[in-house]
Structures are given as structure tokens and as C-alpha cells.
Amino acid sequence: MANVAFIGLGIMGRPMALNLLRAGHALWVHGRRPETMAPLAEAGATACASPAEAARHAEVSIVMVSDTPDVEQVIFGDFGIVHGARAGSAVVDMSTISPGAARAFAAELRQGGVEMLDAPVSGGEAGAIAATLSIMAGGRPEVFERVRPLFEAMGRNIVLVGGNGAGQVAKACNQVVIAATLQGVAEALTLARRSGVDAARVREALMGGFAGSRILEVHGKRMIERDFRPGFKSRLHQKDLNIVMQAARELGLALPGAALSMQYMNALVGSGDGEFDSAALVKIVERMSGLEP
Amino acid sequence: MANVAFIGLGIMGRPMALNLLRAGHALWVHGRRPETMAPLAEAGATACASPAEAARHAEVSIVMVSDTPDVEQVIFGDFGIVHGARAGSAVVDMSTISPGAARAFAAELRQGGVEMLDAPVSGGEAGAIAATLSIMAGGRPEVFERVRPLFEAMGRNIVLVGGNGAGQVAKACNQVVIAATLQGVAEALTLARRSGVDAARVREALMGGFAGSRILEVHGKRMIERDFRPGFKSRLHQKDLNIVMQAARELGLALPGAALSMQYMNALVGSGDGEFDSAALVKIVERMSGLEP
């Protein structure tokens, strides 16, 4: 069993940390909002005043926050992990951030003798609670093997994709595929509806063939039933596609489909639907052509 | 067992007709190119000089040709089905054509006492041979029930989606979803490659989660292995998306994602890859940004 620091106790981080506790690991936790630490402390974790303090006790420091600047602050800020982490320990960033930043953070940590993995996840709050997250990791194989028991307490389908940053690249790819599929399903179901055909029957007809996907199954159903409770919030999908667009620009890579997905997410957030599941994308398709909800 | 006319003995029609023969039905067949009739005649079908002659013997006349004008010619042309079909018989068009044309053809046939179903398929040549096609039907329920045993000899996942034209609407939706997913997978795998990350590992990492789909599984593999043998030819996907664009225009419906898919297919066919599987879409994404194949 390992001594683990866990920084970031939001919708995702809290159930992930609880699953580590349940698996028998010792946890030192820190959340920006102190009240997020209470349920973890009740479950046996030690609440800490800063990331540095949590990292002081740990062989592995896990970070699960929102975006690139948050990760930078948690690791390198005034009371950040670097001020507590021992040489030989590892930082595992499970947030979704830019692949370039992930590589830069790893290089900087390595100078102080601290290893890093990027290990973003897919599967949402439900996957975090059920410990069924997909985990896409980047970093050195020996570090990955050391951390694997912790990953196994939080997810399944755990893949070391490549070196530092490769996990974030895989996550970016994941969000591109999900957004494109969502968009295809939303446009198809709207085409059915506008044609006077029952969208639920169309979904059923499509499920068995090459159009079949988890998105058609789960999000197609949400679109038909108008159930847009998250799931995965569209403002987070917008944030992730922004990472994709930034990476594409840095790489000199045209991704016309992902660029369109970005616009759909912008429209969704701009319409006040940022807190809803990104399946609400169907509302943009409908609204554009004057269909009532 | 039924007396069946089968018009159109190409890559799809021939194995479908053979499966009907194997199921014990009596077949009168016609193909535009006489040599296509020989293997069917050897298997026990009667070769006919025209669609009208084939229809004369049949309770059900099945049409499996390429595009809307071909279907119109086969049904309503000089030696078309209408000149042979008996009142009370049914025409089942399994080609992929415009939903509006399908509705118009059904209305015209009904005036002569002939029923019609549109029943396009998904699953490609492999599905036609293995009798595992998905069949999306539109028309009257009692006609659908009468024809169902024939469908069951050619496919599975057989759904009556709605009235005349609804099968074609479902097929249009199917092609929109497939094209969007293909595009998402092609852009994602190219993002991985350009980032210096192994695309095969990324595909593996994505398979278990919400990005999972038949397209990621089958066509993602084709993209990685550079195996673009059809499968489903991109020039046919182009034709089908053209039907979608035409329907969208008639309906006053904006489908930005499908419009982009149409452009990808145009580029693919224009690049001389029309006879390859539409998974070759990845080549357009690569070429746009100067990646070597």
C-alpha cells in the first residue's frame, strides 16, 4: 500500500480519492475549498493546508484539477507540490491539459529528481464513482508500473500510450472522436425529425450496424429523451476542444471537423447550456434551422 | 415460399439474390449486363430480358441498383417493372436513393394497385454475402410483414422505421453518422501521428470508453494498417452524402458536419481514391497538412 497525496477534490477527484482509500492506500488530501476535504477526512484521509504539505508525506502525488494553469499552480506555485515532494517521488497529473504543457512540466520536475506521468481519464463522474475510468498515460514505463496499482483502484482500460505528453495527446484524440460522433448523431437525429420520421426508430435501426457507437447508444438516447443532465458538461468539452485547437495550431495541423466541433461547443456554452451534457449539442442543430425544442 | 423478381445483380444484388435462392424462394432475375445473370441462372434462377418480364412472375419485385435515376428507369422505364407487375404485388427498393423520390415512386405505384417499400441496407458486400445486412424499411406495416421472410433471408436487425421514404431517411442518417465518425477518427489518429504518438496505442486506449464505435474498431484499424480495400467505396459514400445534402436543402435544414463530410468525400474521389474504402479519408487529413502517407 502506498502513501498518496491527492490534490483536487471536485466532482471527479473526490470519488477517485475515495476509491484509493477503499483500496487501502494512505491519503493526504488538499482541496482549494476547505469544505471539500471534510468527507475525505471522515473516510480516513489527512486534510492538508497546501499541495506542498500533502506531497511531503507521499511517494505519489496525484493532481486532478480543471485546466493547464490550475495544474501549473498546484505543482509549481508558492505552496505547490515541488516545495514538498521528495526526490524519487512521482507526480501523476490526471487533469486534462495541453500535451505541450504536460511535457514541459515533466521536464521541469525531472530536474529536481521528481518523475511525472500525465494520466487523463475518460468516463465522467459515473466512471469515477464506479472506478471504471479509462486512463490514458504518458511517461516512463517504470514509473507507470509503480503507479499502476493506484490506477487499478480508480479505473480499467489503463493504457500507457507513450512518453510524457502522450496521455494528453490520447485524451485530445478521445475528445475529437467523441465530439465528431456527437455531432453526427445530433445532425442525423435532427434530419430524421425534420423529415417527419421517428428519431427513436432511426436510432434503433442504426444501432446494429457500422453507425453503432457508445455515443449513439447513450447520448443518442439523451437527445431523444431530452435528458441533458451531465454526464460530461459542455463547458468542459469546450475547454478540451480548445486544447485540441491549440495543439493543432502548434503542430501546423488542419483539423476541420474538430474546428467545427469547437464552434458547436462555443454555441452551446454561449446559449447558456454550459452546465448541461454535451448531448445538448442537438439543440444547436435544431435551433439553427428554426426547429422548436 | 415466394415468387420473387430481383433486378440489379451487382456487388450487392448478386449475393442477396443468391441468399434468397438458398432460402428456397423462386427467382426471376434481370441485370443490365447479361453476364451478371449467368451465376444466378446456374443456381436455379430464371434469367429475364427486362424488369417487366421478371416482374410478370412475381409477388414481390426487389430492386438493387445504384442511384435514384436507375431506380426510376427500372420501375417506370420502357421495359420497367410497372409494365409487368400485377395489382396486389409489391416493389421493394433496396437501393439507396433520395427519400423524396422514394415517396413519389410509392405514390405513383399505388395508383396502379402496386405497393412499395423502401428498404435500403447497411453492411456492405460482406454483409450481403453473410446475410447480415441491416435493413431500414419504410412503408405500410402489412406490406412489411408480407416481405419480412425475404428480408430475413438477406439480413438481420430489420426495422420498419415508418411510412414510405422513412427507410431512406434512416439510411441517410446512417451515412451522416458514419461519415462524421470516420472524420473524427481520421482527424484524431492524424493528431496522434503528428504529435509523435503511436496511433495504434491511441486507438487501443480509446476503444473501451465513450469514443468507442464500430468505425474506430474497423476503420480505425484500416487507417493504421493503410488497408483501404473496400469495404464501402468512397464514391458511393459521396453519392449517399449528396442525397443527404439534397434532402437537407429541400427541408431547409443546415447540417454543417454532414456538409464537411461531403467535402472530404469530394476530395477523396477527386484524388482518384473513389474505388477505395472511405477509411481512406485519413489520407486527405494527412495530405492537407503535408504529412507523407
Coordinates of all heavy atoms in Angstrom, one line a residue, chain A residues 212-259:
Chain A
G212 N -23.1 2.2 -35.4 CA -23.2 1.9 -33.9 C -22.0 2.4 -33.1 O -20.9 2.3 -33.6
S213 N -22.3 3.0 -32.0 CA -21.3 3.6 -31.1 C -21.8 3.8 -29.7 O -23.1 3.8 -29.5 CB -20.8 4.9 -31.6 OG -21.8 5.9 -31.5
R214 N -20.9 3.9 -28.7 CA -21.4 4.3 -27.4 C -22.2 5.6 -27.4 O -23.1 5.8 -26.6 CB -20.2 4.4 -26.4 CG -19.5 3.0 -26.1 CD -20.2 2.4 -24.9 NE -19.8 3.0 -23.7 CZ -20.6 3.0 -22.6 NH1 -21.8 2.5 -22.6 NH2 -20.2 3.6 -21.5
I215 N -21.7 6.5 -28.2 CA -22.4 7.8 -28.2 C -23.8 7.7 -28.8 O -24.7 8.3 -28.2 CB -21.5 8.8 -29.1 CG1 -20.2 9.1 -28.5 CG2 -22.3 10.1 -29.4 CD1 -20.2 9.9 -27.2
L216 N -24.0 7.0 -29.9 CA -25.3 6.8 -30.4 C -26.2 6.1 -29.3 O -27.4 6.5 -29.2 CB -25.3 5.9 -31.7 CG -26.7 5.6 -32.3 CD1 -27.3 6.9 -32.8 CD2 -26.5 4.6 -33.5
E217 N -25.6 5.2 -28.6 CA -26.4 4.4 -27.6 C -26.8 5.3 -26.4 O -28.0 5.5 -26.2 CB -25.5 3.3 -27.1 CG -26.2 2.3 -26.2 CD -25.2 1.3 -25.6 OE1 -24.1 1.1 -26.2 OE2 -25.5 0.8 -24.5
V218 N -25.8 6.0 -25.8 CA -26.0 6.7 -24.6 C -26.5 8.2 -24.9 O -27.5 8.6 -24.4 CB -24.7 6.8 -23.8 CG1 -24.9 7.7 -22.5 CG2 -24.3 5.4 -23.3
H219 N -25.7 8.9 -25.7 CA -26.1 10.3 -26.0 C -27.2 10.4 -27.0 O -28.0 11.4 -26.9 CB -24.8 11.1 -26.5 CG -23.7 11.1 -25.4 ND1 -23.0 10.0 -25.2 CD2 -23.3 12.0 -24.6 CE1 -22.1 10.3 -24.2 NE2 -22.3 11.5 -23.8
G220 N -27.3 9.5 -27.9 CA -28.5 9.5 -28.8 C -29.8 9.4 -28.0 O -30.8 10.1 -28.3
K221 N -29.8 8.5 -27.0 CA -30.9 8.3 -26.2 C -31.2 9.6 -25.4 O -32.4 10.0 -25.3 CB -30.6 7.2 -25.2 CG -31.8 6.6 -24.4 CD -31.6 5.2 -24.0 CE -32.7 4.6 -23.2 NZ -32.7 5.1 -21.8
R222 N -30.2 10.2 -24.9 CA -30.3 11.5 -24.1 C -31.0 12.6 -25.0 O -31.8 13.3 -24.6 CB -29.0 12.1 -23.6 CG -28.5 11.3 -22.4 CD -27.1 11.9 -22.0 NE -26.5 11.1 -21.0 CZ -25.3 11.0 -20.6 NH1 -24.4 11.8 -21.2 NH2 -24.8 10.2 -19.7
M223 N -30.5 12.6 -26.3 CA -31.1 13.6 -27.2 C -32.6 13.4 -27.5 O -33.4 14.3 -27.5 CB -30.3 13.5 -28.6 CG -28.9 14.0 -28.5 SD -28.0 13.9 -30.1 CE -26.3 14.0 -29.6
I224 N -32.9 12.1 -27.7 CA -34.3 11.7 -27.9 C -35.2 12.0 -26.7 O -36.3 12.5 -26.8 CB -34.4 10.2 -28.4 CG1 -33.8 10.1 -29.8 CG2 -35.8 9.7 -28.4 CD1 -33.5 8.7 -30.2
E225 N -34.7 11.7 -25.5 CA -35.5 11.8 -24.3 C -35.3 13.2 -23.7 O -35.9 13.5 -22.7 CB -35.0 10.8 -23.3 CG -35.4 9.4 -23.7 CD -34.9 8.3 -22.8 OE1 -34.1 8.6 -21.8 OE2 -35.2 7.1 -23.0
R226 N -34.5 14.1 -24.4 CA -34.3 15.5 -23.9 C -33.8 15.5 -22.5 O -34.2 16.3 -21.7 CB -35.6 16.3 -24.0 CG -36.4 16.2 -25.3 CD -35.6 16.5 -26.5 NE -35.3 17.9 -26.7 CZ -34.7 18.3 -27.8 NH1 -34.3 17.5 -28.8 NH2 -34.4 19.6 -27.9
D227 N -32.9 14.5 -22.2 CA -32.3 14.5 -20.8 C -30.9 14.9 -20.9 O -30.0 14.2 -21.3 CB -32.4 13.0 -20.3 CG -31.8 12.9 -18.9 OD1 -31.4 13.9 -18.3 OD2 -31.7 11.8 -18.4
F228 N -30.7 16.2 -20.6 CA -29.3 16.8 -20.8 C -28.6 17.0 -19.4 O -27.6 17.7 -19.4 CB -29.4 18.1 -21.5 CG -30.1 17.9 -22.9 CD1 -31.1 18.7 -23.3 CD2 -29.6 17.0 -23.8 CE1 -31.7 18.5 -24.6 CE2 -30.1 16.8 -25.0 CZ -31.2 17.5 -25.4
R229 N -29.0 16.2 -18.4 CA -28.2 16.3 -17.2 C -26.8 15.7 -17.4 O -26.7 14.6 -18.1 CB -28.9 15.5 -16.1 CG -30.1 16.1 -15.5 CD -30.9 15.1 -14.6 NE -31.3 14.0 -15.3 CZ -31.9 12.9 -14.8 NH1 -32.2 12.9 -13.5 NH2 -32.3 11.9 -15.6
P230 N -25.7 16.3 -16.9 CA -24.4 15.7 -17.2 C -24.3 14.5 -16.3 O -24.8 14.4 -15.2 CB -23.5 16.8 -16.7 CG -24.2 17.6 -15.8 CD -25.7 17.5 -16.1
G231 N -23.6 13.4 -16.7 CA -22.7 13.3 -17.8 C -21.5 14.2 -17.8 O -20.9 14.4 -16.8
F232 N -21.2 14.6 -19.0 CA -20.0 15.5 -19.2 C -20.4 16.8 -19.6 O -21.1 17.0 -20.7 CB -19.1 14.8 -20.2 CG -17.7 15.5 -20.4 CD1 -16.8 15.5 -19.4 CD2 -17.5 16.1 -21.6 CE1 -15.6 16.2 -19.5 CE2 -16.3 16.8 -21.8 CZ -15.3 16.8 -20.7
K233 N -20.1 17.9 -18.8 CA -20.6 19.2 -19.1 C -20.0 19.8 -20.4 O -18.8 19.7 -20.7 CB -20.2 20.1 -17.9 CG -21.0 19.8 -16.7 CD -20.6 20.7 -15.5 CE -21.5 20.3 -14.3 NZ -21.2 21.2 -13.1
S234 N -20.8 20.5 -21.1 CA -20.4 21.0 -22.4 C -19.3 22.1 -22.2 O -18.4 22.2 -23.1 CB -21.6 21.6 -23.2 OG -22.3 22.5 -22.5
R235 N -19.3 22.8 -21.1 CA -18.2 23.8 -20.9 C -16.9 23.1 -20.7 O -15.8 23.7 -21.1 CB -18.5 24.7 -19.8 CG -18.5 24.2 -18.4 CD -18.6 25.3 -17.3 NE -18.8 24.7 -16.0 CZ -17.8 24.2 -15.2 NH1 -16.6 24.2 -15.7 NH2 -18.1 23.7 -14.1
L236 N -16.9 21.9 -20.3 CA -15.6 21.1 -20.1 C -15.2 20.5 -21.5 O -14.0 20.5 -21.8 CB -15.7 20.0 -19.1 CG -15.9 20.6 -17.7 CD1 -16.1 19.4 -16.7 CD2 -14.7 21.4 -17.2
H237 N -16.2 20.1 -22.3 CA -15.9 19.7 -23.6 C -15.3 20.8 -24.5 O -14.4 20.7 -25.2 CB -17.1 19.1 -24.3 CG -16.8 18.0 -25.3 ND1 -17.7 16.9 -25.5 CD2 -15.7 17.8 -26.1 CE1 -17.1 16.1 -26.4 NE2 -16.0 16.6 -26.8
Q238 N -15.9 22.0 -24.3 CA -15.4 23.2 -24.9 C -13.9 23.5 -24.5 O -13.1 23.7 -25.4 CB -16.2 24.5 -24.5 CG -15.8 25.8 -25.2 CD -16.4 27.0 -24.5 OE1 -16.6 27.1 -23.3 NE2 -16.7 28.0 -25.4
K239 N -13.6 23.4 -23.2 CA -12.3 23.6 -22.7 C -11.3 22.5 -23.4 O -10.2 22.9 -23.8 CB -12.2 23.4 -21.2 CG -10.9 23.6 -20.6 CD -10.7 22.6 -19.4 CE -9.9 21.4 -19.8 NZ -9.7 20.4 -18.7
D240 N -11.7 21.3 -23.5 CA -10.9 20.2 -24.0 C -10.7 20.5 -25.5 O -9.6 20.2 -26.0 CB -11.5 18.9 -23.8 CG -11.5 18.5 -22.3 OD1 -10.9 19.2 -21.5 OD2 -12.0 17.4 -22.0
L241 N -11.7 20.9 -26.2 CA -11.5 21.1 -27.7 C -10.6 22.3 -27.9 O -9.9 22.4 -28.9 CB -12.9 21.3 -28.4 CG -13.6 20.0 -28.6 CD1 -15.0 20.2 -29.1 CD2 -12.9 19.0 -29.5
N242 N -10.6 23.3 -27.0 CA -9.7 24.4 -27.1 C -8.2 23.9 -27.0 O -7.4 24.4 -27.7 CB -10.0 25.4 -26.0 CG -9.2 26.7 -26.1 OD1 -9.1 27.2 -27.2 ND2 -8.6 27.1 -25.0
I243 N -8.0 22.9 -26.1 CA -6.7 22.3 -26.0 C -6.3 21.7 -27.4 O -5.2 21.8 -27.8 CB -6.7 21.3 -24.9 CG1 -6.7 22.0 -23.5 CG2 -5.4 20.4 -25.0 CD1 -6.9 21.0 -22.3
V244 N -7.3 21.0 -28.0 CA -7.1 20.4 -29.3 C -6.7 21.5 -30.3 O -5.7 21.3 -31.1 CB -8.3 19.6 -29.8 CG1 -8.2 19.2 -31.2 CG2 -8.6 18.4 -28.9
M245 N -7.4 22.5 -30.3 CA -7.2 23.6 -31.3 C -5.8 24.2 -31.1 O -5.1 24.6 -32.1 CB -8.3 24.7 -31.2 CG -9.7 24.2 -31.7 SD -9.8 24.0 -33.5 CE -9.6 22.2 -33.5
Q246 N -5.4 24.4 -29.9 CA -4.1 25.0 -29.5 C -3.0 24.0 -30.0 O -2.0 24.5 -30.6 CB -4.1 25.2 -28.0 CG -2.9 25.9 -27.5 CD -2.9 25.9 -25.9 OE1 -4.0 25.8 -25.3 NE2 -1.7 25.9 -25.3
A247 N -3.2 22.7 -29.7 CA -2.2 21.7 -30.2 C -2.1 21.7 -31.7 O -1.0 21.7 -32.2 CB -2.6 20.4 -29.6
A248 N -3.3 21.8 -32.4 CA -3.3 21.7 -33.8 C -2.5 22.9 -34.4 O -1.8 22.8 -35.4 CB -4.7 21.7 -34.3
R249 N -2.7 24.1 -33.8 CA -2.0 25.3 -34.2 C -0.5 25.1 -34.1 O 0.2 25.4 -35.0 CB -2.5 26.5 -33.5 CG -2.2 27.8 -34.1 CD -2.5 29.0 -33.3 NE -1.7 29.0 -32.1 CZ -2.2 29.1 -30.8 NH1 -3.4 29.3 -30.6 NH2 -1.3 29.1 -29.8
E250 N -0.1 24.7 -32.9 CA 1.3 24.5 -32.6 C 1.9 23.5 -33.6 O 3.1 23.6 -34.0 CB 1.5 24.0 -31.2 CG 1.2 25.1 -30.1 CD 1.1 24.5 -28.7 OE1 1.4 23.3 -28.5 OE2 0.8 25.3 -27.8
L251 N 1.1 22.5 -33.9 CA 1.6 21.4 -34.8 C 1.6 21.8 -36.3 O 2.1 21.1 -37.2 CB 0.9 20.1 -34.6 CG 1.0 19.4 -33.2 CD1 -0.1 18.4 -33.0 CD2 2.4 18.7 -33.1
G252 N 0.9 22.9 -36.6 CA 0.6 23.2 -38.0 C -0.3 22.1 -38.7 O 0.1 21.5 -39.7
L253 N -1.4 21.8 -38.0 CA -2.2 20.7 -38.5 C -3.7 21.1 -38.6 O -4.2 21.6 -37.6 CB -2.1 19.5 -37.4 CG -3.0 18.3 -37.7 CD1 -2.4 17.5 -39.0 CD2 -3.0 17.3 -36.5
A254 N -4.2 21.0 -39.8 CA -5.6 21.4 -40.0 C -6.5 20.3 -39.6 O -6.4 19.1 -40.0 CB -5.8 21.7 -41.5
L255 N -7.5 20.6 -38.7 CA -8.5 19.6 -38.3 C -9.9 20.2 -38.5 O -10.5 20.7 -37.5 CB -8.3 19.2 -36.8 CG -6.9 18.6 -36.4 CD1 -6.8 18.4 -34.9 CD2 -6.8 17.2 -37.1
P256 N -10.4 20.3 -39.7 CA -11.6 21.0 -40.0 C -12.8 20.5 -39.2 O -13.7 21.2 -38.7 CB -11.9 20.7 -41.5 CG -10.5 20.4 -42.0 CD -9.8 19.7 -40.9
G257 N -12.9 19.1 -39.0 CA -14.0 18.6 -38.2 C -13.9 19.0 -36.7 O -15.0 19.4 -36.2
A258 N -12.8 18.9 -36.1 CA -12.6 19.4 -34.7 C -12.9 20.9 -34.6 O -13.4 21.3 -33.6 CB -11.2 19.0 -34.2
A259 N -12.5 21.6 -35.6 CA -12.8 23.1 -35.6 C -14.3 23.3 -35.6 O -14.8 24.2 -34.9 CB -12.1 23.8 -36.8

